Amino acid sequence: MIDPWYLDNLKQIVSLEQKIAKSGFPGLEPQLLRQAKEYGFADRQLAYLTGTTEADIRELRGQQGCRPVYKLVDTCAAEFAAFTPYYYSTYEQEDEARPSARKKVMILGGGPNRIGQGIEFDYCCVHASFALAELGIESIMVNSNPETVSTDYDTSDKLYFEPLTAEDVMNIIDREKPDGVIVQFGGQTPLNLAAALDEAGVTILGTSVASIDRAEDRKRFQQFLQKLALRQPDNDTAMTPAEAIKIAARIQYPVMVRPSYVLGGRAMRIVYNENDLTDYMQTAIDVSSEHPILIDKFLKDAIEVDVDAISDGETTIIGAIMEHIEEAGIHSGDSACVLPAHTLSDSIKEEIATATRAMALELKVIGLMNIQYAVKDEVVYILEVNPRASRTIPFVSKATGVPLAKLATKVMLGEKLADLGLTKEVKISHYAVKEAVFPFDRFDNVDTLLGPEMKSTGEVMGIDKELGIAFAKAQFAAGQPIPSSGNVLISVRDNDKSSILPTARKLHELGFTILATRNTARFLNKNGVAAQHINKISEGRPHILDRVQDKDIQWIINTSMGTRTTGDAYTIRRSALDYHIPYTTTVSGAKAMTMAIETLRKKDIVVKSLQEYF
């Protein structure tokens, strides 16, 4: 049922591919090379087909004068003459780009929105463009997502609607010759291009490529932390399943495994035994065959902390220390977090701030950086350092009133924080809670259980003087109703039973009726919390699903171990989603929700504008 017209076009591409492969690298004649570029073959693809490197193909194109031209997007649909500086590349003859003689800076965006990299980075790119306008510098945006603000034709002075690849970016640089390029604001995608651009002689503004590599390369990062006498969980890297098994045996299970240089914790997993690790390694090698697999000791029940900071190379100011509500092991993009940190001691917060400043100084950070910490038994561990803007920058900027992305742009262009008026950390007298929004109800048969691989597609924030109300506002904004009374179903894994006890006791005190599966009910009753036994689906009717369908359950708390969960546990979580019943899959999330319920009983929600908080 495919139209032959499409098949004919595909056949032409395949035929040309065979012709290119047959010619080999030295035999790529000017006519054949131009035809290949007109057909859409990337330099990297041509290098693969002819057995050479991308740099060789690029050099050959230069020698033959085979370069793209840029066309103006007609934003007026031919009704009026279009002057919008909005370009795309093609291999034709006439070039409509008009480079100016002004000082100019190129900003690399995040590319297409995908899980792990989205609108938060677009926010940073837009603020960079605003900052350049304030400095009288021409801004050139490179991005390829039509749904973002950075690709609005009036956000920057010029927009190149192009893919974020080394080839496409270098082609624009050759045409525009910018004074520098900002790679910090588009997430991992532009950061991965930094080394190739640096090798080509492009000026990378802000943190140097050497410092970026020092934070990204696992071995160099380990040496860097050892030099500063900072702790990290025991870890190593592996390229093969055999290496991974040997490392995991030394570190001891459970371990956190993930490919390096990927977005949003893609293919990241907590592994509890050798069989699971062997299965995982095959998947991970498929995802990231060129880079090693990172293996870390998993810190169970640790508190995860996110820190955003800005540095001018001499002075480092902490933008925020954010405490995650969900424990370590849930991806930071999926976890709710609180600013300022609400359970960490002052000494731990001071230790985190001191470590952040030390790392910024050692890495010679100029601009933004993000550090993820884990705190377990009052010991601070460093999980990850990103010398770039993080997905929390918009949240922190709105919660504190400090425009971090805009300030960082000016710092990258040589200004000092003191001159910009930022000389000390901003202390706020309210709470801001960030909550993730998930697309689970859009898909059939998807489990709502959270883990180290990012699943959220958006986020909201709640602000209030009271932490409980701020959390409640965030839940309402995320579309999660908060029950005020009724029945709460609790079904948790054995390891979580003692942790859920205080929450169950508090819910009972608040007048909720506790329903629980057999083992959980036995544990709660034994520890003085009245709980009614409810059948699992496999135990016969009337069971949980019957009560859910009858709208007889107002909230479900269900936790499971690892990625392999029982059919019953999955059905409970899925039915909660299908019947629009509030659900929580972590003990810490249940504790926070209970705090919100208790606070809502005592106080009314008050709405204030963002500006009123400053």
Side-chain angles (χ1 to χ4, degrees):
M1 299 300 289
I2 298 173
D3 191 304
W5 183 86
Y6 292 104
L7 296 175
D8 185 56
N9 276 274
L10 289 169
K11 182 176 180 294
Q12 289 176 41
I13 293 169
V14 172
S15 299
L16 185 62
E17 183 180 75
Q18 291 166 344
K19 191 175 178 182
I20 292 162
K22 196 174 177 182
S23 76
F25 173 60
L28 262 180
E29 298 294 330
Q31 189 178 349
L32 180 59
L33 180 58
R34 174 159 280 279
Q35 187 185 6
K37 297 308 289 183
E38 287 173 354
Y39 269 53
F41 283 85
D43 286 357
R44 191 172 179 182
Q45 216 170 355
L46 292 173
Y48 171 75
L49 290 171
T50 58
T52 187
T53 65
E54 191 175 345
D56 286 341
I57 298 291
R58 179 175 171 74
E59 189 180 343
L60 181 65
R61 280 200 300 107
Q63 291 167 4
Q64 295 182 4
C66 182
R67 296 185 180 90
V69 298
Y70 294 93
K71 298 292 187 183
L72 199 69
V73 172
D74 188 354
T75 52
C76 300
E79 195 170 345
F80 310 102
F83 299 104
T84 311
Y86 183 177
Y87 301 102
Y88 66 95
S89 67
T90 183
Y91 278 82
E92 291 182 11
Q93 302 304 315
E94 184 192 7
D95 194 341
E96 295 177 358
R98 300 287 180 266
S100 72
R102 292 172 61 194
K103 183 175 182 179
K104 58 186 89 162
V105 167
M106 181 184 285
I107 305 162
L108 300 188
N113 274 10
R114 61 271 229 197
I115 289 178
Q117 182 167 301
I119 209 74
E120 307 94 334
F121 297 117
D122 197 64
Y123 169 99
C124 295
C125 291
V126 170
H127 277 249
S129 189
F130 293 163
L132 292 172
E134 287 175 11
L135 296 170
I137 297 169
E138 183 178 317
S139 58
I140 300 171
M141 188 74 68
V142 181
N143 206 358
S144 56
N145 186 348
E147 296 301 319
T148 53
V149 180
S150 67
T151 53
D152 285 352
Y153 62 83
D154 54 356
T155 292
S156 50
D157 293 307
K158 276 186 180 171
L159 167 65
Y160 283 86
F161 200 83
E162 293 288 281
L164 272 297
T165 69
E167 175 188 346
D168 292 288
V169 171
M170 282 305 303
N171 286 341
I172 302 166
I173 288 170
D174 288 346
R175 189 76 183 89
E176 287 283 353
K177 297 182 172 50
D179 295 272
V181 177
I182 294 175
V183 299
Q184 283 188 24
F185 291 157
Q188 195 66 36
T189 300
L191 210 65
N192 289 348
L193 295 178
L197 299 181
D198 187 58
E199 282 171 26
V202 176
T203 302
I204 303 293
L205 296 176
T207 308
S208 70
V209 169
S211 292
I212 292 169
D213 184 65
R214 206 171 165 199
E216 295 276 320
D217 183 278
R218 183 46 67 106
K219 290 277 192 274
R220 294 189 70 194
F221 181 56
Q222 202 169 38
Q223 291 162 2
F224 157 72
L225 291 181
Q226 285 167 356
K227 181 181 176 183
L228 296 175
L230 297 171
R231 294 179 206 85
Q232 66 177 149
D234 198 358
N235 67 87
D236 212 330
T237 57
M239 292 297 288
T240 66
E243 281 179 26
I245 288 165
K246 194 173 175 184
I247 290 162
R250 177 180 64 77
I251 292 175
Q252 296 188 332
Y253 294 96
V255 293
M256 178 86 79
V257 285
R258 60 194 166 123
S260 46
Y261 295 94
V262 296
L263 301 170
R266 184 172 167 223
M268 191 189 289
R269 198 181 301 166
I270 300 164
V271 171
Y272 293 88
N273 56 56
E274 190 175 307
N275 287 341
D276 285 352
L277 181 59
T278 306
D279 292 345
Y280 169 82
M281 282 300 290
Q282 192 52 55
T283 309
I285 289 166
D286 290 344
V287 169
S288 183
S289 56
E290 298 171 17
H291 299 293
I293 305 304
L294 311 179
I295 303 173
D296 295 80
K297 175 69 180 169
F298 174 56
L299 300 173
K300 189 180 177 304
D301 298 327
I303 298 168
E304 195 162 334
V305 180
D306 246 302
V307 176
D308 281 321
I310 183 170
S311 180
D312 59 14
E314 296 167 9
T315 305
T316 300
I317 301 293
I318 310 292
I321 296 176
M322 294 159 280
E323 182 179 337
H324 290 211
I325 287 174
E326 283 78 13
E327 63 273 7
I330 307 295
H331 192 280
S332 61
D334 286 354
S335 179
C337 74
V338 178
L339 169 65
H342 64 297
T343 68
L344 300 181
S345 65
D346 288 342
S347 60
I348 289 291
K349 284 190 269 194
E350 189 50 47
E351 186 179 339
I352 286 170
T354 302
T356 300
R357 292 188 193 102
M359 284 187 272
L361 196 62
E362 180 65 26
L363 279 175
K364 300 179 176 65
V365 169
I366 297 173
L368 295 170
M369 74 181 296
N370 169 262
I371 305 172
Q372 289 169 25
Y373 293 90
V375 179
K376 183 174 170 66
D377 302 327
E378 291 295 292
V379 177
V380 176
Y381 297 87
I382 286 91
L383 300 179
E384 199 174 333
V385 175
N386 293 305
R388 59 168 171 81
S390 72
R391 68 175 61 81
T392 48
I393 287 295
F395 169 69
V396 171
S397 297
K398 290 188 177 190
T400 62
V402 180
L404 289 170
K406 193 179 277 190
L407 294 175
T409 304
K410 294 179 179 180
V411 162
M412 282 187 254
L413 288 157
E415 296 198 28
K416 294 296 178 187
L417 288 171
D419 299 331
L420 295 169
L422 189 63
T423 55
K424 61 182 181 179
E425 278 80 23
V426 172
K427 294 214 172 352
I428 57 175
S429 58
H430 55 270
Y431 287 98
V433 175
K434 183 207 83 170
E435 180 58 283
V437 179
F438 299 92
F440 297 135
D441 60 348
R442 299 281 197 281
F443 302 100
D444 290 334
N445 307 318
V446 171
D447 199 345
T448 59
L449 199 64
L450 301 180
E453 189 168 22
M454 190 170 166
K455 296 178 180 179
S456 64
T457 50
E459 63 187 33
V460 294
M461 70 188 289
I463 301 183
D464 201 87
K465 297 280 185 187
E466 293 277 344
L467 177 56
I469 299 286
F471 184 80
K473 285 179 177 179
Q475 295 308 305
F476 289 139
Q480 172 97 304
I482 295 177
S484 56
S485 61
N487 297 327
V488 177
L489 168 66
I490 301 178
S491 177
V492 296
R493 59 185 181 173
D494 289 342
N495 288 4
D496 289 334
K497 284 183 171 48
S498 56
S499 308
I500 201 69
L501 189 59
T503 298
R505 186 170 284 122
K506 176 58 73 177
L507 286 168
H508 183 67
E509 288 169 10
L510 291 169
F512 285 87
T513 300
I514 309 293
L515 308 177
T517 47
R518 189 179 306 279
N519 290 336
T520 305
R522 188 180 297 134
F523 176 83
L524 293 175
N525 283 312
K526 186 180 172 184
N527 286 276
V529 178
Q532 298 175 16
H533 167 245
I534 184 170
N535 283 341
K536 289 183 180 179
I537 297 154
S538 56
E539 292 173 344
R541 307 184 88 150
H543 51 52
I544 291 168
L545 198 52
D546 294 326
R547 301 283 290 269
V548 167
Q549 289 171 341
D550 291 342
K551 296 191 168 30
D552 194 28
I553 295 175
Q554 280 64 52
W555 180 22
I556 293 175
I557 301 169
N558 175 245
T559 68
S560 282
M561 186 90 163
T563 52
R564 295 181 179 179
T565 62
T566 65
D568 269 2
Y570 163 74
T571 308
I572 292 169
R573 291 190 294 274
R574 189 68 216 183
S575 62
L577 190 69
D578 293 339
Y579 288 91
H580 307 290
I581 294 169
Y583 64 90
T584 307
T585 59
T586 62
V587 172
S588 48
K591 183 181 175 183
M593 185 82 112
T594 304
M595 175 185 63
I597 293 168
E598 187 178 19
T599 314
L600 285 172
R601 291 269 183 96
K602 299 171 185 171
K603 300 197 171 180
D604 293 329
I605 289 182
V606 177
V607 177
K608 287 166 70 174
S609 69
L610 199 61
Q611 289 78 3
E612 287 178 81
Y613 283 98
F614 307 119

